[in-house]
Amino acid sequence: MSRQRAINEQRGRLAQAIGQAQASRRGVLAGAAGLALAGLLSACGTKGASSGPAQALTPGIDISDTEQLVRWANWTLYLDYDDKAKHYPTLEQFKKSSGLDVRYVEDIDSNDSYYGKVQSQLASGQDIGQDLMVLTDWMTERVIRLGYVQDLDHANIPNLKNLLPSLKDVRFDPGRTKSLTWQSGYTGLVWNKEEFPKGLRNVADLWAPELKGRVTLLDEMRDTIPLLLLDQGIDITGQWGQEEFSGAIEIVEKNIQNGQIRQVKGNSYKQDLISGDALAGIAYSGDITQLNYEEGNKWEFIMP
């Protein structure tokens, strides 16, 4: 692939992400790495609306006696995995204790890309092939608002009591009737400790000459842009607007054009870290914890 073509692809990905971002001023850092587990009404024969937002869903028929199967779509690195046994220990424990089978897939790379795949089916009330899907809080708010999810039966979810108090009641889902937190973490900076021992302290450190062509950014603009704004001394909980937002975008574009940034991508950035193609970038805290566990303690994560 030519360098110009690669640059153009990165620009296109960035432009798409920017267009979808509608940057939020609230809750842009805490819990950005896949917060909410939304229970979908996926195979219960509920009819969707013919136009506009979907009609409010009603509880479907309980078919657990005849179909003892849970279908679950998740992000990569969000569940413990045993390389030797080639299975997920926690998932195996759940299957044994519940008597249910689980069809588990890690096919969510970003909120926007996954929602783009299932949006039309959800709007039509069709089965998307999943009972549960893991989305970040802002996207969970969207699918709840559009009526795409079913109420949860808290009587069947004893671990609900283990949620942190701050996560038991949220603005977009009062009383947690339709969603539950799967994991909560932060967006920050990561680097390979062996290859870049001096490390990072600020977002601007990503533009160091030694990292040229080996920096990765998240295409989730609600994660990347706030960090860039903070690095410019902007209080993201205060007053800011298009001028500040455009300034952050210009920083990204500049470092794509000059070759500093290798990729702007979703959760698949972990492969670049593992291969060594990327030495540093913006990442999710949970991913780095899992990478260090599975691939050796090679990476450091900090809040800039």
Side-chain angles (χ1 to χ4, degrees):
M1 180 187 295
S2 70
R3 175 163 182 76
Q4 188 57 49
R5 180 183 172 189
I7 290 174
N8 288 339
E9 286 189 0
Q10 293 298 317
R11 285 176 176 170
R13 191 178 183 98
L14 176 64
Q16 181 183 30
I18 293 169
Q20 294 167 332
Q22 300 173 337
S24 169
R25 299 186 187 183
R26 295 176 297 185
V28 288
L29 288 180
L35 268 182
L37 180 65
L40 298 189
L41 185 66
S42 58
C44 300
T46 300
K47 297 180 180 179
S50 58
S51 62
Q55 296 173 354
L57 299 180
T58 56
I61 300 172
D62 184 354
I63 60 173
S64 59
D65 287 338
T66 57
E67 183 182 287
Q68 295 187 329
L69 172 69
V70 176
R71 304 173 299 172
W72 178 15
N74 200 1
W75 302 65
T76 57
L77 294 179
Y78 275 50
L79 189 63
D80 54 312
Y81 184 71
D82 187 331
D83 282 315
K84 293 182 179 180
K86 303 299 181 183
H87 69 213
Y88 300 91
T90 298
L91 205 57
E92 292 302 313
Q93 183 180 355
F94 169 78
K95 290 161 65 175
K96 182 178 180 180
S97 63
S98 68
L100 298 172
D101 194 13
V102 181
R103 191 181 72 191
Y104 178 74
V105 292
E106 295 183 338
D107 60 350
I108 300 180
D109 188 56
S110 71
N111 290 289
D112 285 315
S113 63
Y114 187 77
Y115 183 69
K117 290 191 297 184
V118 300
Q119 179 182 11
S120 61
Q121 292 167 275
L122 290 173
S124 300
Q126 298 175 356
D127 183 6
I128 67 168
Q130 306 299 339
D131 300 306
L132 303 172
M133 64 180 180
V134 180
L135 300 170
T136 306
D137 51 359
W138 65 268
M139 182 61 81
T140 299
E141 178 174 11
R142 177 184 296 178
V143 298
I144 290 175
R145 183 178 68 249
L146 291 173
Y148 295 159
V149 297
Q150 183 180 6
D151 283 351
L152 301 171
D153 185 349
H154 287 179
N156 291 330
I157 312 174
N159 281 337
L160 177 62
K161 66 179 183 295
N162 295 326
L163 275 181
L164 293 172
S166 61
L167 299 176
K168 288 185 177 180
D169 192 59
V170 291
R171 173 186 53 80
F172 60 86
D173 185 17
R176 285 294 191 184
T177 62
K178 294 178 172 62
S179 69
L180 287 175
T181 296
W182 163 241
Q183 288 193 9
S184 180
Y186 295 90
T187 308
L189 300 177
V190 64
W191 69 92
N192 187 309
K193 295 183 290 186
E194 299 172 356
E195 300 293 331
F196 191 64
K198 76 176 187 179
L200 306 169
R201 296 301 301 169
N202 303 297
V203 174
D205 294 340
L206 291 171
W207 320 137
E210 308 97 295
L211 295 175
K212 186 169 184 177
R214 306 182 80 176
V215 173
T216 181
L217 299 187
L218 294 171
D219 65 2
E220 291 273 356
M221 289 295 104
R222 289 168 176 80
D223 298 324
T224 296
I225 294 303
L227 287 177
L228 291 167
L229 292 173
L230 287 169
D231 198 55
Q232 299 298 305
I234 297 169
D235 178 5
I236 59 174
T237 66
Q239 296 298 315
W240 58 274
Q242 186 61 49
E243 181 179 353
E244 291 80 4
F245 181 78
S246 297
I249 296 301
E250 289 173 4
I251 293 173
V252 179
E253 289 181 331
K254 173 186 174 181
N255 285 285
I256 289 175
Q257 293 168 4
N258 66 21
Q260 186 74 17
I261 294 174
R262 172 183 174 79
Q263 291 283 349
V264 179
K265 62 197 311 184
N267 224 47
S268 56
Y269 72 87
K270 68 183 180 66
Q271 297 299 337
D272 292 325
L273 293 176
I274 294 172
S275 68
D277 290 333
L279 295 182
I282 293 177
Y284 298 132
S285 58
D287 289 348
I288 306 310
T289 298
Q290 190 77 357
L291 273 182
N292 279 329
Y293 177 77
E294 294 183 353
E295 303 291 335
N297 190 25
K298 299 178 183 179
W299 296 276
E300 186 75 29
F301 177 91
I302 65 162
M303 298 292 291

